[in-house]
Amino acid sequence: SGSRSSVHTALHTLLAARWPSQRDVRSCLQLLAVLQWVLSFLLLGTVSLLLLIYLVFTSLWPISALYLAWIIFDWDTPEKGGRRLPCLRRWRVWRHFRDYFPVKLVKTHDLSPNHNYIIGSHPHGILCVGAFCNFITGSTGFGEMFPGIRPFLTTLAGNFRLPVFREYLMSGGLCPVTRRAIGYLLSKNGTGNAVAIVIGGAAESLSCRPGVTTLILKNRKGFVRMALQHGAYLVPSFSFGENDLFRQVVFEEGSWMRSIQQRFQKMMGFAPCVFYGRGLTSVHSRGFLPYARPITTVVGEPVTVPKIKDPSCETVDMYHEMYVRSLLKLFNENKTKYGLSETDELHIL
């Protein structure tokens, strides 16, 4: 009798408990989607490298040997268009990733598949969430908005030297931010290619914080020279809300910590930012996950660029100025629509 009473009480308690709603389930799936992405970008390469090194000293050493042989054989693939997998771009988890923030793509002008393009992605932020979601995943409808255009996103060449991580990057359409890799996509891969470059790079990430719209662009002209050499049109894009995803400890210019960051950036190609976001269990705790802030990426009007094999510095400067004017126009026309005030300005250094 006592046992039956205990079971009855337990069942009654279980049935009376609040079951997760559809909203709770969606929120959990969105959080897990962002968690796997952050862990992949921060740890996948390092963990894979350490694991392969460990296997060398075990009976499973042939796995490491075979993978090393594969990397040597496949060494140039990242700079020859990579190995993108359409199924991974359509992975359902990216929809949950998109909805977590949420991320939205806005089209202002058509892009003809008869040309190639270099898309300037601004700002860098901490982890380039807007650029990744819009140009690497199909969750925001890039393919439907720009039919016939194949988007690529560039990242540090060193990432493609890390085992397993390189396969993960290539499968989505990422390629090294090198002249050879970008030149291949713009000259030997047909037309309809759009190569997105986060122009501000690591230097810009050091100044990333909420409420600040500063871009490192004034002396970044290599992308313009490449556009001229290949006749690729220049397209500005701006991700409103990118800088609101994390909080960063910004060290003043001239401080010893800032000097360490800048030296590390010059040596390794990326800057060691001190940042934090929300925790895994609560939005009020601190952790490494981005805050859920809306990101709207607006793709602007293409700047028509002629093909000049050896452009002069004056020509490069002229088209760089045209690009900057187009970017400023894009920013000023859209800033009040996506969270900024009329008085906010875009500072270009």
Side-chain angles (χ1 to χ4, degrees), residues 54-102:
Y54 168 75
L55 292 179
V56 169
F57 301 98
T58 70
S59 59
L60 298 176
W61 65 265
I63 295 178
S64 297
L66 288 172
Y67 190 78
L68 177 60
W70 164 251
I71 287 183
I72 294 173
F73 173 78
D74 196 53
W75 190 260
D76 290 334
T77 299
E79 296 194 327
K80 292 183 178 180
R83 192 169 39 246
R84 62 196 294 153
L85 298 176
C87 61
L88 187 139
R89 292 172 61 87
R90 296 192 299 267
W91 199 15
R92 188 175 181 84
V93 72
W94 299 131
R95 300 181 190 176
H96 299 303
F97 179 87
R98 171 200 64 195
D99 294 339
Y100 170 84
F101 298 95

Side-chain angles (χ1 to χ4, degrees), residues 5-285:
S5 176
S6 299
V7 171
H8 178 77
T9 302
L11 289 173
H12 179 76
T13 302
L14 180 63
L15 293 174
R18 177 180 175 273
W19 287 82
S21 65
Q22 288 187 348
R23 182 178 178 180
D24 294 333
V25 173
R26 283 197 302 269
S27 296
C28 182
L29 290 174
Q30 291 167 10
L31 191 65
L32 290 175
V34 174
L35 176 63
Q36 67 83 25
W37 179 78
V38 172
L39 291 178
S40 296
F41 265 80
L42 296 181
L43 298 177
L44 180 59
T46 303
V47 171
S48 300
L49 178 61
L50 293 176
L51 178 60
L52 287 174
I53 293 174
Y54 168 75
L55 292 179
V56 169
F57 301 98
T58 70
S59 59
L60 298 176
W61 65 265
I63 295 178
S64 297
L66 288 172
Y67 190 78
L68 177 60
W70 164 251
I71 287 183
I72 294 173
F73 173 78
D74 196 53
W75 190 260
D76 290 334
T77 299
E79 296 194 327
K80 292 183 178 180
R83 192 169 39 246
R84 62 196 294 153
L85 298 176
C87 61
L88 187 139
R89 292 172 61 87
R90 296 192 299 267
W91 199 15
R92 188 175 181 84
V93 72
W94 299 131
R95 300 181 190 176
H96 299 303
F97 179 87
R98 171 200 64 195
D99 294 339
Y100 170 84
F101 298 95
V103 182
K104 180 183 178 183
L105 180 65
V106 175
K107 168 187 171 181
T108 62
H109 292 78
D110 291 329
L111 299 181
S112 170
N114 296 323
H115 301 286
N116 286 324
Y117 304 89
I118 290 181
I119 300 178
S121 179
H122 311 274
H124 183 284
I126 297 294
L127 294 179
C128 304
V129 172
F132 178 87
C133 191
N134 288 298
F135 302 129
I136 294 302
T137 79
S139 62
T140 57
F142 185 97
E144 292 73 26
M145 290 186 190
F146 303 102
I149 303 297
R150 294 181 297 275
F152 297 85
L153 179 64
T154 58
T155 186
L156 293 173
N159 288 330
F160 295 90
R161 305 298 178 243
L162 294 172
V164 181
F165 190 44
R166 69 191 296 273
E167 322 299 339
Y168 177 78
L169 295 177
M170 284 193 290
S171 64
L174 283 106
C175 63
V177 61
T178 62
R179 290 184 178 275
R180 184 184 177 192
I182 298 171
Y184 180 92
L185 294 173
L186 297 179
S187 63
K188 299 180 180 179
N189 200 41
T191 60
N193 300 295
V195 183
I197 303 175
V198 187
I199 298 168
E204 193 172 278
S205 67
L206 292 176
S207 300
C208 166
R209 59 184 184 274
V212 176
T213 48
T214 300
L215 304 183
I216 306 297
L217 178 59
K218 188 174 293 185
N219 296 317
R220 300 290 175 97
K221 300 179 182 180
F223 73 102
V224 178
R225 183 175 293 278
M226 288 209 70
L228 285 163
Q229 290 172 341
H230 298 284
Y233 290 7
L234 291 167
V235 183
S237 72
F238 195 93
S239 293
F240 294 90
E242 182 73 45
N243 285 349
D244 297 331
L245 304 183
F246 294 95
R247 302 291 183 268
Q248 181 179 184
V249 179
V250 179
F251 301 101
E252 296 296 328
E253 288 290 344
S255 66
W256 65 274
M257 278 299 296
R258 186 72 166 195
S259 298
I260 291 175
Q261 287 178 315
Q262 291 171 341
R263 289 178 182 176
F264 195 91
Q265 173 203 329
K266 291 179 179 178
M267 289 188 297
M268 304 298 295
F270 65 94
C273 301
V274 181
F275 66 91
Y276 64 90
R278 60 156 290 180
L280 183 61
T281 58
S282 168
V283 294
H284 303 294
S285 60

